[in-house]
Amino acid sequence: MSHRIEIRIDVDTCMGSGNCLFWAPESFDLCDDGHAVVLDPEATDEDRLIVVADGCPVGAISLWRDGEALDKGAS
Amino acid sequence: MTTAETTEPMAFDPYELQDTVAGNVRDPFPRFAELRRQSPVHVGKVDVGNGPNEFFGPVEPVTVLGFDECVQVLRDNETYSSTVYEGVMGMVMGKTILQMDEPEHRVSRALVSPAFRSKMLARWEEGLVRTVVNELIDQFAERGKADLVRELTFNFPVQVIARILGLPRADYPRFQRWAIEITSVAANWDRGVAASEALRDYFSGVLAERRADPADDLISELVNVEVDGQKLTDEEIYSFLRLLLPAGVETTYRATGSLLFALLTHPDQLARVVEDRTLLAQAIEESVRWEPPVTLILRRAMKTTELAGVKIDEGADVALLLGAANRDERKYENPDEFDMFRDSKQHIGFGFGVHVCLGMHLARMESRVAVNTLFDRLGDLKLDPAAEDVHIEGMAFRSPLSLPVTFRAR
């Protein structure tokens, strides 16, 4: 349980592009006031989540495990 | 209404504008790669063809050709300002989100963005977009051959926008003509400005009608939208509607043409997509990476800074070559190949950062519906073997000028 991946969204940074929702519709949605919300982090492959976090146009998505930020964008 | 001679929308051939609007460069990519290997960031005039260096401010322009470097600039919207678009774009379109910096941009974008979210688009997909595409295909489906640029891709996005705006059908021809004229303002300044004024007059009538009698269309939504007590002024609505023409029509027609070109010139991948339409989404992404319809965007450095070890002076105009970044060999293997099965799916063909394309979900949907409908209706689609020299060209804007195809009508 403790090794589950956690997705955090910085709502002050998020500008609701919908990019995350496009790449991982099972894990993200947009709420009524326009910023992204997390649905089910487990519903998307970790590799895909890294692509999503890295591809966020404003860098509002971070991935965490056991309280530590994953190193994204290592490509 | 200020221009009376607008009843024959296609009376002039938009292809005549290609050389001046888009630049007639066929393959700028080898030169991009050569320059990028020297340095991903160049200061001063560089010869990349005939497009990006036609702007000269008091400070030497900067050209960015690397993927990571473009991303870095687009993320740092404090150092690199969008106000560079105040000049020409501002004069023609009026003040739009394109030229705004934060926090103003964020507020204004929030007002127009709800209409462009993927969930909202679903309602336009079947009844609206597919209908437009089907009507256009009806015109040539029996013929067994067609030019997909002239007969499909060039015409469908403007009709989609006209319907999304809820314009009367009788107005489509003049709307399309204004769209072409405002978009080709670089080729003919007076005509572009006249089209801009005509559009403003035209939209002011439409706005008044929608205020009196709201309908289920984008203009009614823009009239009524309110976020945190803020509403759009009429002038802001006119500017945004005008911006939709270059931003929403030209880009989509070019991107759809380049997608079809990519598939038609890669018959193995075409066959896979025809057979399994779920692959279309990744074909679209790869096509936007490989041949983004807009290859160049601009920013202005607000302070002296450094990028990839290169000093950039305050006030410098910074040209980001998205087309070059999308083929950065440090990021992609065989970057010049169109390969929809490649691992790295990320690209900056829709831009990046706070100004990332507002219409990207609409554009993807339009391309997907157009190509799907084409495959549904026409069997054995291929480039006309008799056609010679089918190619993509352009500098700041790129797409095929024609796509002659043969098919078996279904």
Side-chain angles (χ1 to χ4, degrees), chain A residues 11-19 21-23 29-32 34 51 53-59 75, chain B residues 68 74-75 105-106 109 113 117-119 281 285 330-331 345-347 352-357 360-361 364:
Chain A
V11 294
D12 293 330
T13 305
C14 174
M15 36 74 77
S17 74
N19 195 66
L21 177 64
F22 174 75
W23 290 105
D29 200 356
L30 284 180
C31 65
D32 287 344
V51 169
D54 204 22
C56 173
V58 291
S75 63
Chain B
D68 289 342
L74 292 170
R75 276 220 164 110
H105 165 264
R106 192 183 181 93
R109 180 163 167 140
S113 60
R117 292 199 186 124
S118 38
K119 275 185 205 160
E285 294 314 304
R330 297 169 300 170
K331 173 144 179 100
K345 302 283 194 278
Q346 274 187 291
H347 61 80
F352 202 74
V354 293
H355 286 272
V356 71
C357 177
M360 65 182 172
H361 304 299
R364 284 162 168 153

Side-chain angles (χ1 to χ4, degrees), chain B residues 89-351:
Chain B
M89 287 296 281
M91 268 188 267
V92 181
M93 303 296 158
K95 190 174 182 183
T96 69
I97 50 174
L98 202 73
Q99 68 187 60
M100 292 177 193
D101 284 332
E102 304 309 305
E104 183 186 25
H105 165 264
R106 192 183 181 93
V107 174
S108 292
R109 180 163 167 140
L111 287 167
V112 293
S113 60
F116 294 88
R117 292 199 186 124
S118 38
K119 275 185 205 160
M120 298 296 283
L121 301 179
R123 66 183 170 149
W124 291 331
E125 181 167 341
E126 285 305 317
L128 201 152
V129 181
R130 199 177 300 276
T131 302
V132 167
V133 172
N134 266 319
E135 282 179 12
L136 290 167
I137 296 175
D138 286 343
Q139 306 290 315
F140 59 79
E142 302 297 314
R143 206 190 305 148
K145 58 191 288 189
D147 178 349
L148 293 180
V149 172
R150 285 178 186 228
E151 299 185 77
L152 178 66
T153 60
F154 185 74
N155 290 302
F156 93 96
V158 71
Q159 292 197 23
V160 167
I161 291 285
R163 287 179 192 227
I164 286 175
L165 298 180
L167 307 183
R169 201 176 179 99
D171 293 348
Y172 291 180
R174 59 178 169 172
F175 182 68
Q176 178 152 20
R177 188 179 179 112
W178 287 327
I180 293 164
E181 289 172 346
I182 199 171
T183 304
S184 60
V185 64
N188 186 328
W189 177 261
D190 293 340
R191 192 185 59 194
V193 171
S196 174
E197 285 166 9
L199 278 162
R200 187 192 177 288
D201 291 346
Y202 174 73
F203 284 136
S204 84
V206 180
L207 239 64
E209 283 169 28
R210 295 299 190 283
R211 282 225 165 80
D213 186 14
D216 180 24
D217 60 45
L218 182 63
I219 294 181
S220 302
E221 241 168 86
L222 294 175
V223 165
N224 292 312
V225 71
E226 195 176 318
V227 173
D228 297 335
Q230 297 248 21
K231 284 179 81 97
L232 292 164
T233 66
D234 284 4
E235 217 43 63
E236 284 167 338
I237 295 176
Y238 303 143
S239 297
F240 182 69
L241 293 174
R242 283 185 293 218
L243 180 64
L244 283 181
L245 298 171
V249 172
E250 162 139 39
T251 51
T252 308
Y253 109 71
R254 289 185 185 277
T256 308
S258 293
L259 168 66
L260 284 166
F261 176 87
L263 291 172
L264 289 163
T265 54
H266 296 80
D268 48 331
Q269 295 184 60
L270 172 66
R272 296 284 301 273
V273 176
V274 171
E275 194 178 308
D276 178 2
R277 304 300 175 79
T278 62
L279 295 173
L280 194 46
Q282 67 202 66
I284 290 170
E285 294 314 304
E286 172 65 354
S287 171
V288 176
R289 179 198 72 82
W290 187 62
E291 279 288 359
V294 177
T295 66
L296 160 77
I297 54 179
L298 298 176
R299 292 293 184 265
R300 181 166 291 149
M302 300 308 279
K303 59 183 183 199
T304 297
T305 185
E306 205 183 275
L307 184 65
V310 177
K311 180 169 172 275
I312 295 177
D313 287 330
E314 179 181 346
D317 287 349
V318 181
L320 307 172
L321 300 196
L322 304 181
N326 275 351
R327 296 196 188 196
D328 190 334
E329 62 202 356
R330 297 169 300 170
K331 173 144 179 100
Y332 305 99
E333 263 179 60
N334 302 318
D336 293 324
E337 294 294 311
F338 173 81
D339 175 8
M340 65 181 193
F341 298 107
R342 69 171 61 246
D343 288 337
S344 184
K345 302 283 194 278
Q346 274 187 291
H347 61 80
I348 52 172
F350 290 115

Side-chain angles (χ1 to χ4, degrees), chain B residues 26-90:
Chain B
R26 286 203 183 191
D27 186 7
F29 297 105
R31 178 65 180 146
F32 289 166
E34 185 189 335
L35 285 166
R36 189 175 47 239
R37 278 179 212 125
Q38 292 164 15
S39 170
V41 179
H42 288 256
V43 175
K45 195 180 178 210
V46 283
D47 179 14
V48 293
N50 66 352
N53 272 297
E54 282 163 14
F55 52 91
F56 295 109
V59 183
E60 291 232 273
V62 175
T63 306
V64 185
L65 302 110
F67 185 93
D68 289 342
E69 292 78 14
C70 282
V71 164
Q72 191 182 332
V73 169
L74 292 170
R75 276 220 164 110
D76 184 0
N77 51 278
E78 286 182 18
T79 305
Y80 300 99
S81 167
S82 291
T83 53
V84 64
Y85 283 117
E86 278 171 3
V88 174
M89 287 296 281

